Amino acid sequence: MVKLTFLISISVLTCNLILSVRVYKRADILKLREEVREMFQHAYDSYLRYAYPYDELRPLSCDGVDTWGSYSLTLIDALDTLAIMGNYSEFNRVVDIVLQKRHFDADINVSVFETNIRIVGGLLSAHLLSHKTGMKLEPGWPCNGPLLRLAEDVAQRLIAAFDTTTGMPYGTINLRSGVPPGETSITCTAGVGTFIIEFGTLSRLTGDPLYEEVAYNALKALYHHRSPIGLLGNHIDVMTGRWTAQDAGIGGGIDSYYEYLVKGAILLEKPELMSMFLEARQSIEKYLKKDDWFVWATMLRGHVTLPVFQSLESYWPGLLSLIGESDAAMRIIHNYHSVWRQYGFTPEVYNLGTGEASSSRESYPLRPELIESIMYLYRDTRDPILLQMGEDILRSIQHSARTPCGYATIKDVRDHRKEDRMESFFLAETTKYLYLLFDPDNFIHNPGVRGTVIDTPNGECVVDLGGYIFNTEAHPIDPNMLYCCHEARQGINISEVYSIYQILEEEDNIKFMTMIEANTNETKITQSNNNNNESAIENKTIDHTEPKERSDENEPEQNQVLIKTESRTGYVNLDGTERENANESNLSDLVKETINKYYNDTINAETQENVKHSAEEPTAGSSQTVEVDDIIVPEKSEVQLPSVTKTKEVMNMLPKVIQDFLNSDWKSKPKCEPQKMLERIRREQKYPDHPDVYKYELLLTPAPSFLQRISLAGEFLNKKQLEL
Ligand code: DMJ
């Protein structure tokens, strides 16, 4: 049980702190900001010098090591911090490096959770920030772009983890082959419920509903499996739905599930997620909260099992500030800060009964959670004590964690011994939140007073108005960007459309492109939105001129289908309606016919070449024509292929979506078929919608002031309020 005397002494300490608060002038704050910038730079430069391309820097050995996935994790995780600190040239340079990787195909097993929050989150955030850094943007951005495609490539590799009986994901996946054989079906709660920000963003930008629905389904599954008193356990079997660890708390193993309910509600305008959080919060307050601390208890009865504070729990006050409860949050953060002051760091586990660091969990791996909450609360309250708390954190890290080649994990907060590890979140989160605390003018803090107008295929769109939602790895997402991709909402994947143009423009395919052009009689791809406004991508540039008149009313329809069938995973729109597929054969016929012509020309050309060089070599016969299906379905053996190598070469140059579309047997089928999984989730409807889905009427507008308001005051408008 928590000792009351200990808690009282904490309160006294809190009062003392309040009395001795330092006065910060603007110049003082900016000086601290510059110190944080130098801190980041030292760690970042060291990573590049000693560790890249490994995942992490080892700050004592001054070398690198692969930890989470052999995918240069720290580089990707640190990317958007560069942009936030204004180092645009380095951001652009690193983006170029990252983009040398076209996909994440590798025979390695990775954590689904960590890969999502660090890699998918990092790539998405960098994609959305790239307009600020002077990067050359592809037509269709933000609904298109190489970083977005890379993020989607990773998400596609993770999606097979969700192919379970409950819809909750496995914890580990092989990036190449899916769920590893014999993989445990036990996943922690956070590992199930921490996808809606990244996957929702992906769906809203690309138009593929798969990601958001799968992530939302997993959240509903957790909610459905809550205990009768509204608590969640720590680990669950994703095949049976049985809780295998029944301790309920707000920290490690569960934490970001709660975080994503709140942030997912705000980012994606899903008030039912907020209702799910508020219900859970009541249970947390009732069973887990003890005098502004949180303990662990049995999920079935709420009996206290572990009276401890975990460093990871320090995100909670920040989360409360997002729902407009900064007063409660301030009381909690004073408690957490008192632990920091006791040791100069927060240990992984702190025993509330004894008032000491737990002897087996006494490290501080440079975690961000406390500074994260301090940053949020300072934005809301401007209480200078929060600046002082931030400075305490900065001082401790500088004093005890700095090494000649980076910053080291503190192995034991009691004696500040160091350990040879610098997790990537030090550059993604800890330094970022510290910097943002001390940078009052940062664009991230924009309270909706400035914006940037960008051109999209659908017209102008105002972004960068603030209200950024940070994923749990501190990668910010601009909510307004999600409303720029109107065509994505109609199931059109701009990224894929652009890919096709890009492929067609490659030297070897000029002929192919010309033929497509000849077939379509015009070079542009158009689509209509619901209001019959039209936009066009023409020769890779966005055309905002008046729509051109068409002689044939049906023709645009054909072109529209050309775009709609690009979706990688399906035939359903974001709103769940079926996609039109009546004219799909038109595209099929068109592409097949074009490839036929291309190959027949190639064959003829090759035949003539062959005749010239070797009379013995078998020729395809100048009169023989070859059907596309013959080329890509080798089983039809009566047809002699002109050049298998050449065929494969060119086929590989086509976007995956066209390859799949032309012939799904071209490659062996993946074990998990995402579209089928999505259809199954929709058909089964295992988990009913939260009743509050229908209770609220959100302002369906990208209005930034609204986003600002809900993020600061934490409120949604319900129907009754609107009526009044
Ligand atoms: C980060 O990877 C994320 O913040 C995650 O949610 C929790 N753990 C680390 C930081 O402590």
Side-chain angles (χ1 to χ4, degrees):
M1 273 292 150
V2 180
K3 283 183 188 160
L4 197 58
T5 47
F6 169 68
L7 293 174
I8 289 169
S9 69
I10 293 296
S11 306
V12 172
L13 181 62
T14 297
C15 291
N16 288 340
L17 283 175
I18 291 169
L19 290 177
S20 62
V21 66
R22 189 186 148 183
V23 177
Y24 287 87
K25 297 203 188 91
R26 185 177 162 83
D28 299 328
I29 298 174
L30 295 184
K31 203 168 159 210
L32 290 168
R33 180 191 73 187
E34 291 313 304
E35 189 176 342
V36 178
R37 189 200 302 280
E38 192 282 330
M39 169 188 262
F40 171 86
Q41 205 61 46
H42 174 60
Y44 176 79
D45 290 345
S46 299
Y47 167 74
L48 286 186
R49 181 174 311 152
Y50 302 111
Y52 176 79
Y54 289 104
D55 280 342
E56 285 176 20
L57 168 74
R58 295 204 301 178
L60 301 181
S61 322
C62 301
D63 61 10
V65 63
D66 277 336
T67 50
W68 291 107
S70 316
Y71 35 35
S72 303
L73 177 62
T74 299
L75 192 72
I76 294 175
D77 227 5
L79 199 43
D80 56 21
T81 311
L82 288 167
I84 283 174
M85 292 186 177
N87 192 345
Y88 296 158
S89 55
E90 180 63 5
F91 175 93
N92 293 343
R93 189 185 78 82
V94 173
V95 166
D96 284 345
I97 294 172
V98 170
L99 290 177
Q100 281 165 17
K101 199 180 177 96
R102 300 230 152 200
H103 51 69
F104 278 73
D105 179 46
D107 185 15
I108 45 170
N109 293 350
V110 298
S111 156
V112 180
F113 168 84
E114 300 291 355
T115 306
N116 176 54
I117 66 168
R118 302 190 197 208
I119 300 286
V120 178
L123 291 171
L124 283 174
S125 184
H127 164 72
L128 293 176
L129 289 175
S130 56
H131 74 109
K132 298 185 75 66
T133 68
M135 248 182 74
K136 192 166 177 284
L137 303 175
E138 284 183 3
W141 182 92
C143 329
N144 176 39
L147 287 166
L148 177 62
R149 288 194 288 276
L150 208 49
E152 194 179 10
D153 173 79
V154 184
Q156 282 177 339
R157 295 171 193 282
L158 302 183
I159 209 83
F162 291 81
D163 198 6
T164 62
T165 44
T166 63
M168 296 187 269
Y170 279 94
T172 301
I173 200 123
N174 184 288
L175 285 177
R176 179 171 296 161
S177 55
V179 179
E183 178 57 32
T184 176
S185 55
I186 295 170
T187 309
C188 70
T189 303
V192 172
T194 312
F195 293 90
I196 196 77
I197 291 178
E198 299 81 4
F199 280 25
T201 299
L202 260 180
S203 280
R204 305 268 171 124
L205 295 178
T206 66
D208 191 332
L210 173 76
Y211 310 106
E212 183 171 335
E213 286 196 33
V214 159
Y216 183 50
N217 189 56
L219 278 177
K220 286 200 295 182
L222 279 177
Y223 178 73
H224 179 81
H225 285 88
R226 71 195 184 283
S227 76
I229 61 169
L231 294 175
L232 269 67
N234 207 287
H235 283 76
I236 193 162
D237 188 323
V238 299
M239 295 309 274
T240 64
R242 189 175 59 89
W243 290 98
T244 58
Q246 301 195 356
D247 283 317
I250 60 166
I254 303 184
D255 44 10
S256 43
Y257 162 65
Y258 292 126
E259 183 184 348
Y260 273 37
L261 288 180
V262 172
K263 292 180 175 176
I266 297 169
L267 179 69
L268 304 170
E269 295 192 347
K270 278 183 173 294
E272 65 274 22
L273 294 181
M274 190 66 88
S275 293
M276 285 154 71
F277 174 77
L278 293 176
E279 280 175 27
R281 169 120 192 277
Q282 281 185 0
S283 302
I284 289 167
E285 294 273 313
K286 187 167 176 189
Y287 297 104
L288 307 182
K289 189 167 168 216
K290 308 284 174 200
D291 297 305
D292 295 318
W293 296 93
F294 295 88
V295 297
W296 291 80
T298 58
M299 65 179 286
L300 288 176
R301 299 199 183 281
H303 294 156
V304 177
T305 52
L306 277 173
V308 299
F309 154 66
Q310 292 182 345
S311 179
L312 282 167
E313 290 167 17
S314 311
Y315 75 101
W316 190 259
L319 197 62
L320 292 187
S321 80
L322 286 182
I323 62 162
E325 300 214 16
S326 292
D327 289 348
M330 283 301 284
R331 289 195 296 275
I332 298 167
I333 210 159
H334 275 299
N335 279 350
Y336 295 172
H337 181 237
S338 72
V339 178
W340 186 281
R341 284 177 63 91
Q342 186 177 346
Y343 292 108
F345 295 104
T346 41
E348 286 290 74
V349 177
Y350 180 82
N351 189 313
L352 294 171
T354 61
E356 286 173 358
S358 161
S359 52
S360 53
R361 305 290 308 281
E362 65 285 306
S363 67
Y364 171 69
L366 304 172
R367 287 202 190 280
E369 283 77 8
L370 186 55
I371 187 64
E372 171 185 353
S373 281
I374 289 169
M375 193 279 287
Y376 278 118
L377 277 168
Y378 182 67
R379 297 312 308 165
D380 195 23
T381 66
R382 306 299 157 104
D383 187 336
I385 189 123
L386 293 158
L387 294 174
Q388 188 160 322
M389 290 179 186
E391 190 177 358
D392 280 349
I393 292 176
L394 178 60
R395 289 285 150 262
S396 297
I397 296 176
Q398 292 285 50
H399 180 268
S400 297
R402 191 171 173 118
T403 76
C405 53
Y407 287 84
T409 287
I410 300 299
K411 190 179 175 60
D412 189 333
V413 297
R414 293 169 299 198
D415 56 19
H416 292 200
R417 264 180 302 147
K418 295 187 187 73
E419 190 179 319
D420 202 7
R421 185 157 193 200
M422 185 181 89
E423 281 244 31
S424 67
F425 53 67
F426 181 63
L427 293 181
E429 298 193 75
T430 313
T431 49
K432 185 185 289 159
Y433 286 130
L434 267 171
Y435 186 88
L436 286 172
L437 174 69
F438 298 130
D439 190 20
D441 307 323
N442 200 280
F443 69 88
I444 289 284
H445 302 317
N446 179 6
V449 295
R450 297 177 299 275
T452 307
V453 180
I454 56 168
D455 284 340
T456 76
N458 202 57
E460 288 183 341
C461 182
V462 188
V463 300
D464 200 15
L465 284 146
Y468 287 86
I469 296 296
F470 286 84
N471 86 338
T472 192
E473 189 75 0
H475 296 304
I477 303 291
D478 180 348
N480 290 285
M481 297 271 188
L482 273 49
Y483 297 89
C484 290
C485 300
H486 301 271
E487 51 290 286
R489 291 187 148 192
Q490 295 162 29
I492 298 166
N493 187 325
I494 293 295
S495 209
E496 291 294 357
V497 173
Y498 178 73
S499 290
I500 292 169
Y501 267 82
Q502 217 182 17
I503 294 287
L504 297 181
E505 286 214 336
E506 283 179 23
E507 217 181 305
D508 285 353
N509 286 290
I510 284 173
K511 199 170 185 180
F512 181 80
M513 181 176 74
T514 313
M515 288 181 207
I516 288 271
E517 284 171 357
N519 272 294
T520 54
N521 287 328
E522 55 182 43
T523 58
K524 66 182 180 180
I525 296 176
T526 60
Q527 83 273 348
S528 304
N529 66 14
N530 290 338
N531 303 324
N532 280 334
N533 292 328
E534 293 176 347
S535 63
I537 300 173
E538 190 165 5
N539 296 331
K540 294 208 316 178
T541 58
I542 303 167
D543 182 357
H544 291 293
T545 55
E546 287 298 306
K548 288 175 187 153
E549 279 185 21
R550 294 191 181 85
S551 52
D552 182 353
E553 277 299 308
N554 292 329
E555 207 168 70
E557 278 305 309
Q558 194 179 33
N559 289 334
Q560 187 175 22
V561 172
L562 178 67
I563 300 170
K564 282 201 166 189
T565 50
E566 302 310 324
S567 175
R568 214 170 283 206
T569 48
Y571 307 96
V572 273
N573 296 316
L574 264 183
D575 62 4
T577 54
E578 291 295 316
R579 283 190 200 172
E580 304 152 34
N581 56 7
N583 292 329
E584 269 171 14
S585 57
N586 294 348
L587 173 64
S588 169
D589 295 344
L590 175 64
V591 178
K592 283 179 179 179
E593 194 185 319
T594 307
I595 292 183
N596 274 342
K597 277 194 195 167
Y598 176 80
Y599 278 103
N600 290 328
D601 286 355
T602 308
I603 292 160
N604 291 337
E606 282 185 1
T607 305
Q608 283 161 18
E609 276 289 293
N610 289 340
V611 169
K612 260 192 231 157
H613 290 103
S614 165
E616 275 118 73
E617 274 184 34
T619 63
S622 56
S623 62
Q624 186 182 5
T625 57
V626 179
E627 294 301 315
V628 166
D629 285 346
D630 299 331
I631 297 171
I632 59 181
V633 186
E635 291 89 275
K636 291 194 179 175
S637 53
E638 70 275 10
V639 178
Q640 273 209 315
L641 300 182
S643 159
V644 174
T645 322
K646 179 77 180 167
T647 305
K648 279 189 178 170
E649 222 173 70
V650 180
M651 278 302 293
N652 284 338
M653 288 165 70
L654 294 173
K656 182 179 167 295
V657 66
I658 289 192
Q659 292 180 35
D660 291 349
F661 184 72
L662 287 171
N663 189 337
S664 58
D665 291 325
W666 176 250
K667 58 177 180 49
S668 59
K669 285 198 169 39
K671 274 186 220 145
C672 162
E673 291 182 65
Q675 178 60 23
K676 290 208 170 129
M677 178 169 73
L678 179 58
E679 280 162 10
R680 198 190 68 227
I681 288 171
R682 286 177 175 177
R683 198 176 47 248
E684 289 177 352
Q685 289 192 10
K686 267 203 168 122
Y687 313 110
D689 280 336
H690 190 284
D692 286 0
V693 167
Y694 309 104
K695 183 174 158 191
Y696 294 91
E697 191 77 67
L698 281 168
L699 297 177
L700 293 175
T701 155
S705 55
F706 171 69
L707 283 164
Q708 279 293 324
R709 200 158 67 79
I710 57 173
S711 67
L712 290 178
E715 62 180 59
F716 283 94
L717 302 174
N718 72 29
K719 270 186 178 159
K720 283 206 176 126
Q721 285 172 324
L722 278 180
E723 279 158 18
L724 284 174

